[in-house]
Structure formats: structure tokens, C-alpha cells
Amino acid sequence: MRLSAKSRFAVAAMIDLALREASGPVPLNSIGQRLRISLSYLEQLFSKLRQEGLVESTRGPGGGYTLGRSAQLISVADIIRAVEGPRGLQADEDGEGKEAGWQLTQDLWSGLNSRMMDHLQGIKLLQLCEEQRAKGVQVEERASAGRRGIFSQRKLEAPRTTAPNSVFALAAALAAKR
């Protein structure tokens, strides 16, 4: 079984995405800034997550990533399997080139691997998000996608005028000028 930095980053990024997806697609650069992970590394991870159907991408202004299915249906094992490949949660059973002790303990490591797989399969993304919220993690609201970049709209102010607003005010203004 491999629980590499890649797996830990992928799980953290998926938690971040799940916490923020209610306000629309989440850009990778914002995830990278919060988690201090490079954008190119995140692109590699999310490419694998997208291939497995765990996330969906939206292009264009206001684009980013959303979960491919409910957070209740995504397990930690699913995430690790997506980024590590099909053997990511399997014991290394290739006995060739291993020391002699490997054959003696293979059943032990295979059993441990199986229990770890069952445990990780039982941990859902929704559960991890709820734990973060319970710890007080603040999720900032972001501006809606239609009001970003070159498409941002300025607030219109009511025009100010010094012109008289009635006939009587006009007469009074003309009389004052004489």
C-alpha cells in the first residue's frame, strides 16, 4: 500500500473543493493558494481525478472544478486509487527480488492492506468536510462568476443634476440671475 504525498495532497484538495463547491466551480489556482500546492501539480492530480469521474471541469470565465458525484459517495480509497493507480491500495505481492523474509510475512502484510482498504473505503468525503466545519474552518464566499474579470460590472450611481426640477424652481432660478 502506498500513502504518498500525492495521495495526501489529493485528499486535501478534494476536501477543499467539497467545502467550496456550493458557490460554483472552484478554480485550481485558488485551491493551490490555500493548500500551498503548485498549480501544475494540481493539474496532474485533477486530471487523474477527472478521468475517474470524481470531479468535473468547467471551462471559461468562472470555470473550475466541481465534484463528479455526491461527497457522500466518494471515499478516501476512491481518491487514492484515482491518483495512485489501480495498485495504489494493494500490497506489493511480487516476491521476486524481495528478501527471504517477505515470503514469511506476506500474509501479514496482505491482511493489513485489506483492513486498511476497508477502513479507507468507509471514510467518505462528506464526513471529512463535516469534521473540518466542526473544527471551525471558515469558507469564504466568492463573487459570482458573472462579475469577474473583464466582465465585471460597475455599480451605477444616481445622476446628480443642478437643473431645476419644476417650472417654479426654473422661474426662481431665472429671477435670481437678474
Side-chain angles (χ1 to χ4, degrees):
M1 170 184 290
R2 295 180 196 112
L3 291 178
S4 65
K6 183 190 321 184
S7 298
R8 290 192 304 270
F9 287 147
V11 171
M14 288 291 284
I15 293 170
D16 188 86
L17 173 64
L19 286 170
R20 290 167 175 79
E21 83 160 346
S23 62
V26 181
L28 282 186
N29 63 350
S30 67
I31 295 173
Q33 289 172 350
R34 283 188 294 274
L35 300 179
R36 296 187 175 119
I37 302 172
S38 76
L39 182 58
S40 61
Y41 194 67
L42 277 175
E43 287 171 345
Q44 293 172 19
L45 292 178
F46 273 74
S47 173
K48 292 177 180 182
L49 293 168
R50 188 174 44 78
Q51 289 172 357
E52 294 297 319
L54 299 179
V55 297
E56 294 177 347
S57 62
T58 304
R59 293 179 162 217
Y65 283 87
T66 55
L67 294 178
R69 54 185 186 237
S70 168
Q72 180 61 39
L73 300 176
I74 298 174
S75 71
V76 172
D78 295 335
I79 298 168
I80 294 171
R81 195 177 299 113
V83 296
E84 295 288 352
R87 292 186 50 101
L89 290 175
Q90 295 177 1
D92 186 7
E93 296 178 5
D94 180 18
E96 291 184 50
K98 299 288 183 185
E99 62 272 0
W102 169 253
Q103 298 297 326
L104 299 174
T105 60
Q106 183 175 3
D107 291 338
L108 170 69
W109 302 127
S110 294
L112 178 61
N113 185 66
S114 177
R115 288 182 186 219
M116 286 289 289
M117 176 66 165
D118 291 343
H119 180 68
L120 293 175
Q121 191 66 41
I123 301 172
K124 302 298 181 182
L125 186 58
L126 181 62
Q127 175 186 347
L128 297 175
C129 291
E130 289 170 352
E131 289 173 3
Q132 292 303 309
R133 287 185 186 108
K135 288 180 182 178
V137 170
Q138 297 295 319
V139 178
E140 66 282 351
E141 292 294 322
R142 64 184 185 113
S144 67
R147 297 181 182 257
R148 294 181 5 176
I150 61 172
F151 299 108
S152 64
Q153 299 174 357
R154 289 182 264 172
K155 290 186 177 184
L156 299 177
E157 295 181 14
R160 295 180 184 230
T161 180
T162 57
N165 61 358
S166 69
V167 175
F168 301 109
L170 178 61
L174 290 175
K177 286 188 176 182
R178 291 188 186 170

